[in-house]
Amino acid sequence: MTALTLMTDPWLDRFRTPTDQQLFDRYAEPTAEICSFLRTGITGFEGVGEDLTWMGIPWRWAMRYQVEGDVTPLLAVLAPLPERPVLCIPLTTTVIEAVPARRLTRFIREGIQRGPLVGGVLWCEWEPNARSQADELVGLVKRKHQIARDAAES
């Protein structure tokens, strides 16, 4: 990476907030469509907001998804890395136990198995490269959102 790239890449500049267009326009059409589907799908759940935030290294600028006005952990983080987008879904043991493992696809199961455990939360990451994978990830976020809502109501 050259010094000029470092100066012009909005994803790297912590002190200038980029637009979401600057971050997502770097992708070719299939990847851009996957990102758009993920963003629309996740924000379509009741009360879920999207917030562009500096998340530090390695994600830098990323879209953070959380129930608005809620102080519970994040629902998901979409990090538009220059090479490819990464979706992270932090999962607690409560959520993992509530999701039937047999109904999960190999793509989802492998992401959960690779997720590092930090403070009792598995930080699972996926790099979706097909619409079907993005659909599975939105479904997992939907389950997590529903589990959190059910726990809050009881």
Side-chain angles (χ1 to χ4, degrees):
M1 205 174 274
T2 66
L4 184 57
T5 304
L6 291 173
M7 299 284 291
T8 59
D9 190 344
W11 181 72
L12 294 171
D13 190 349
R14 177 182 182 181
F15 301 104
R16 288 196 178 113
T17 305
T19 64
D20 55 346
Q21 184 177 7
Q22 288 175 311
L23 296 174
F24 290 101
D25 278 355
R26 71 177 77 224
Y27 298 124
E29 190 59 34
T31 305
E33 286 179 16
I34 290 169
C35 289
S36 178
F37 177 78
L38 287 168
R39 294 177 69 194
T40 303
I42 296 171
T43 56
F45 303 131
E46 184 180 337
V48 175
E50 178 183 68
D51 181 34
L52 178 61
T53 282
W54 177 262
M55 300 290 290
I57 295 174
W59 293 337
R60 294 179 171 83
W61 288 105
M63 305 307 285
R64 183 175 60 181
Y65 300 93
Q66 193 167 359
V67 176
E68 294 174 351
D70 198 351
V71 294
T72 59
L74 298 171
L75 280 178
V77 175
L78 178 59
L81 306 179
E83 310 82 38
R84 77 238 170 271
V86 172
L87 184 72
C88 174
I89 304 173
L91 299 172
T92 61
T93 55
T94 306
V95 173
I96 293 171
E97 290 170 356
V99 175
R102 290 186 180 183
R103 299 181 93 189
L104 298 176
T105 63
R106 180 179 179 185
F107 175 68
I108 298 294
R109 282 193 316 267
E110 287 177 351
I112 291 172
Q113 291 168 350
R114 287 190 314 261
L117 183 65
V118 179
V121 176
L122 274 175
W123 289 83
C124 308
E125 291 184 359
W126 291 269
E127 298 173 12
N129 53 25
R131 170 74 185 259
S132 60
Q133 292 175 337
D135 194 36
E136 294 168 18
L137 291 168
V138 169
L140 181 59
V141 174
K142 181 179 181 179
R143 288 182 186 168
K144 179 181 177 181
H145 182 255
Q146 187 60 47
I147 291 166
R149 288 188 58 196
D150 291 348
E153 290 175 0
S154 54

